[in-house]
Amino acid sequence: MTLALEWAAKGLYTTSPNPHIGCVIVRDGLVIGAGVTQQAGGDHAEIQALKDAQARGHDVRGATAYVTLEPCNHHGRTPPCSDALVRAGLGRVVAAMADPNPLVAGQGMAKLAAAGIETSVGLLAEQAYELNIGFFSRMTRGLPWVRMKTAASLDGMTALHNGVSQWITGPEARADGHAWRARACAILTGIGTVKADDPRLNVRAVETPRQPRRIVVDSKLDIDPSAKVLQGGGTWIAAAVANPEKEAALRAAGAEIILLPNASGKVDLPELMRELGRRQVNELHVEAGGKLNGSLIREGCVDELLVYLAPMLLGDAQGMFALPALAELSQRQQLKYHEVKQIGEDLRILARFTHH
């Protein structure tokens, strides 16, 4: 199963919106076939593994398949994998987790068992869950898994008051940040960051065959149509105020406008998250300024913080999250540390909100 998870991780930058699944077929302690889910519409991991075994001249009848998620049982863009495993005559199928997709939910394993194949579910489930945390989030909540990335000094500052922020963290932490960008389906920022830094918001520091979609929260459509974040097209702009003239210019630049006003004339952030879920965004990576970061946290839109802390003090400067002052501790937002790791000279902290 560990090997199947390693295969699944090969799909980390490519399979969205499909989950990243690995499959390994074993007979007499030897791996005779292995595969990873291809891009949507392509082969699933189980089919890849069966083809691999066949290409290597192995007979899979009676063999055991280890797969990181329950084989699908429905006709999506491809026929059900459970049928293919039954047809191939496998003796046993071990899945790390049941599929959270209501179209599957246990039926894949049930079909295998009904065909006389020995089945079990739950081996290394936690690792399989982490690998597809966004897919599980979208299937169970209709929402992407939202990870907010920020880099700060040890006293929690992200930039000087004059805006200078390059570079607080070292090259290793920056490359690591790009690896987190690469695995996300989309990267979200605010108009403040676009105006201040004109970022490209793409993946550069690591090799990736696919660039995540870029999303800008821009209530009044203040963005310049020549902004770098629009180059190459496909950017989504979430706005609150219609402006046909500006919208036309932005569409000409290849952007799509999503109008989602809330009662106070700003972008309705919880509704934007639901819309991204409908658009099959599994993991959303947020890299924004303190203001938008604060709004997203305040409105309960964030699942996890990805914080890089540099061993330095910046004094009075710009903070990570613009949150209102609290009158008492009971109003605090509670998180728990999921993982703490040193990356180069810096500390990387993954902390999850406990209200989920």
Side-chain angles (χ1 to χ4, degrees), residues 300-349:
C301 297
V302 184
D303 296 300
E304 175 172 73
L305 300 179
L306 171 65
V307 181
Y308 296 89
L309 286 182
M312 64 174 74
L313 301 174
L314 290 181
D316 184 28
Q318 297 181 31
M320 295 190 261
F321 320 110
L323 292 167
L326 302 182
E328 45 195 280
L329 272 176
S330 61
Q331 302 168 307
R332 70 187 185 269
Q333 299 237 20
Q334 192 66 46
L335 298 98
K336 63 170 190 288
Y337 290 134
H338 178 69
E339 188 195 49
V340 179
K341 190 176 180 185
Q342 188 163 341
I343 307 281
E345 299 284 294
D346 306 304
L347 202 58
R348 181 184 79 191
I349 299 169

Side-chain angles (χ1 to χ4, degrees), residues 85-104:
L85 293 170
V86 170
R87 273 199 309 276
L90 283 154
R92 179 167 165 246
V93 175
V94 180
M97 291 190 78
D99 195 324
N101 185 338
L103 295 170
V104 184

Side-chain angles (χ1 to χ4, degrees), residues 248-291:
L250 292 170
R251 282 198 194 98
E256 182 185 343
I257 317 297
I258 305 173
L259 273 176
L260 292 171
N262 65 12
S264 50
K266 293 267 191 347
V267 172
D268 184 332
L269 296 171
E271 186 51 41
L272 175 60
M273 296 307 131
R274 288 189 283 273
E275 177 62 24
L276 296 181
R278 289 190 284 271
R279 291 177 179 227
Q280 299 196 311
V281 172
N282 291 339
E283 280 186 23
L284 180 67
H285 181 94
V286 177
E287 283 196 39
K291 220 165 125 190

Side-chain angles (χ1 to χ4, degrees), residues 1 65-71 93-98 109 120-123:
M1 189 60 85
Y66 292 88
V67 57
T68 57
L69 188 69
E70 174 183 7
V93 175
V94 180
M97 291 190 78
M109 295 309 270
S120 73
V121 178
L123 184 62

